[in-house]
Amino acid sequence: MRDAGIAGAGRSARDLVIAADFGTSGVKLAALDRSLALKAVAMRAYPLSLPASGQAEQAPADWWKALAEGIADLRGLIPDLAERAAALVFCAQMCGVVASDASGAPLRPAIVWLDKRAGTMSRQMNGGFPSLAGYRLDKLLAWTRIANGAPSHNGMDPPAKMLWLKQFEPDVFAGAHKLLDVKDWLLNRATGRFVTTADSANLTWMMDTRKGREGWSAYLAGRLGIPLDKLPEIVDGTETVGGLLADAATELGLEPGLPVIAGAGDVAATAIGSGAMADGELHAYAGTSAWLSGFFPSRRIDIFHSFATISSSVGYRPLLIATQESAGTAFAWAARLTGGAEGDTDSALARAYEGIGPVRADDPLFVPWLAGERVPVDDDRLRGVFYGLGMQHERSALLRSVLEGVALNMRWALSKVSKQRGVLADVPLPLVGGAAVNPLFAQGLADALKRRVEVRAPRHAGVRGAAAIAGTNLGWFDSVEAAAPALATGPAEIYDPQHEGMVLSDARSAMLERHRSRLIALYR
């Protein structure tokens, strides 16, 4: 639906989209013009609560407060922002659960993607005899046939979290009018509607993703024991959810009725924002977590290595996601561990890693399973390891090993993803996310993957992808795919694989491969 929202004269003067990307630690905001150029950017942090081992929660009110403060920052840079804004669009972290009452108020803190309290419950939910890859065979067949995948074993996917609420907080579960993802709650707070997009719906594993049958599956929801009426309506990411409510407009300093576009989860928005939108073209993300992702013309799945395509938020286009748990979190952890950083800001981490030099042959090997792993082994019990530590190793060696460990972990994932039919291996790999600003990591990834790596506006791929979705709604682009040239241009840092680095990476990857299965066995 196009051109819904603010009425009256001056529509042609509305030349900016406000996009907000809600991550684990904060929200990135931008005002973008019709060419998707960043005219102003802002960042506001919010807290992450870790109340117990394996638990991770956030207060939805903190997301909204950070949004309001960030938009105020944008107004400081563009005083007539409210008059020029054509739409507001969100993308956000996925696999969260916000139990909301009929007014949209959260009944408890949001359980976010990082939470693994339901790991044991997830394995019980998935398992049984006879089994394959940890799934009872009949369950696996139903999930893969209908949803093209199945809930992870580590408890991070929404159904296990919903069932945890049902068992351990039954009053909250019973009182929940809707069970929402992060973006869904924000859309409700802005417009009053309870909606989601297909990418978030797919990851509940209660959505039928078969072509022509897309929508909630009463059969899958019934097997899990989740009432369908607790799930929000699925809408396309380009749809106008509604006009900005008057009270929300006042809090955000924007005009009532401003069109609010459905948007996407962070993976889909980032995939678009990377500019890699041709079928089989991958991009790499390294932020708090890491992933390899790309669009495909049809559904794909690899049960044994825990990745598949999901329906993206726009047109149900299949989007492959191979997610790994730790990237930037490992960089920040290592900097704190070695006393090299005060805080996790870009500048603090840049100082911590400055001057450490490239990886050396006698550096220890690092396995970045600090929060478990998902691809290509799905197990929340795995933990990080330094292998080969010696008396000669000092701070720089540990930091180099952590950067390399994330790159080699992504190489491990790519070794499985690259076997999928149609993956393009002879094109540059866009690298986005906060960790991409580290040049040693970017070069190490190029060497590890033997691919040219391009880093272009790495921290803003999410807001640029969300803005492309909104721009399609507004008629600025004929389709989201038509925005690709605008997203793949502009200044870029280019990292070509270097011979010496590739040789060393091959040798150290082979060494790690010899030990990886035994490391996994230690935690099982």
Side-chain angles (χ1 to χ4, degrees), residues 52 71 99 110 122 183 185 202 267 275 344 385 443:
I71 291 177
S122 188
K183 172 180 56 60
W185 184 86
N202 198 159
V267 178
D344 295 346
V385 175
Q443 183 61 58

Side-chain angles (χ1 to χ4, degrees), residues 167-483:
Q167 179 172 337
F168 294 102
E169 297 183 6
D171 291 345
V172 170
F173 186 85
H177 177 65
K178 297 294 180 185
L179 299 170
L180 305 173
D181 205 345
V182 175
K183 172 180 56 60
D184 310 342
W185 184 86
L186 291 160
L187 289 170
N188 176 263
R189 182 68 182 81
T191 70
R193 284 185 67 189
F194 290 103
V195 299
T196 190
T197 50
D199 46 356
S200 288
N202 198 159
L203 290 177
T204 68
W205 307 112
M206 290 180 278
M207 178 184 168
D208 193 331
T209 68
R210 291 173 292 183
K211 190 173 180 61
R213 304 186 186 186
E214 293 93 348
W216 292 118
S217 167
Y219 175 74
L220 293 180
R223 289 193 67 157
L224 288 169
I226 305 296
L228 273 181
D229 62 4
K230 288 188 180 293
L231 304 176
E233 176 189 359
I234 301 172
V235 300
D236 192 80
T238 61
E239 181 173 321
T240 301
V241 177
L244 191 63
L245 296 174
D247 61 338
T250 298
E251 292 167 354
L252 300 181
L254 298 173
E255 294 189 3
L258 177 71
V260 180
I261 314 303
D266 55 0
V267 178
T270 300
I272 295 167
S274 75
M277 281 191 275
D279 285 340
E281 190 176 5
L282 301 178
H283 78 273
Y285 169 85
T288 301
S289 59
W291 64 64
L292 296 165
S293 178
F295 293 101
F296 283 79
S298 58
R299 302 194 312 180
R300 307 295 167 84
I301 188 168
D302 185 336
I303 287 294
F304 296 100
H305 298 112
S306 305
F307 65 85
T309 55
I310 66 167
S311 292
S312 66
S313 74
V314 178
Y316 304 114
R317 189 180 179 195
L319 176 65
L320 185 143
I321 308 173
T323 302
Q324 297 184 311
E325 296 302 336
S326 297
T329 48
F331 299 171
W333 166 82
R336 292 193 302 270
L337 182 72
T338 59
E342 296 180 2
D344 295 346
T345 64
D346 286 350
S347 58
L349 289 178
R351 288 193 298 271
Y353 284 88
E354 186 177 13
I356 64 171
V359 174
R360 301 175 184 175
D362 68 340
D363 283 345
L365 289 167
F366 177 67
V367 179
W369 301 333
L370 300 176
E373 195 49 281
R374 295 197 72 168
V375 172
V377 172
D378 179 13
D379 198 326
D380 62 299
R381 297 168 293 185
L382 302 184
R383 287 297 177 266
V385 175
F386 279 108
Y387 177 82
L389 277 173
M391 293 291 291
Q392 77 277 18
H393 292 130
E394 32 65 55
R395 172 180 170 274
S396 292
L398 298 184
L399 294 177
R400 289 193 299 266
S401 295
V402 170
L403 296 183
E404 178 199 42
V406 172
L408 292 181
N409 211 45
M410 295 180 75
R411 171 176 170 145
W412 185 33
L414 183 61
S415 71
K416 313 304 179 185
V417 171
S418 62
K419 295 177 182 178
Q420 289 294 308
R421 175 172 45 87
V423 171
L424 301 180
D426 56 351
V427 295
L429 184 75
L431 173 63
V432 297
V437 303
N438 187 312
L440 289 173
F441 170 70
Q443 183 61 58
L445 187 65
D447 294 341
L449 303 186
K450 301 182 180 180
R451 295 271 294 271
R452 167 176 280 194
V453 167
E454 296 184 350
V455 178
R456 183 179 289 105
R459 283 198 169 276
H460 300 110
V463 292
R464 296 187 82 200
I469 294 172
T472 303
N473 170 288
L474 295 166
W476 295 357
F477 306 102
D478 291 336
S479 67
V480 170
E481 290 77 13

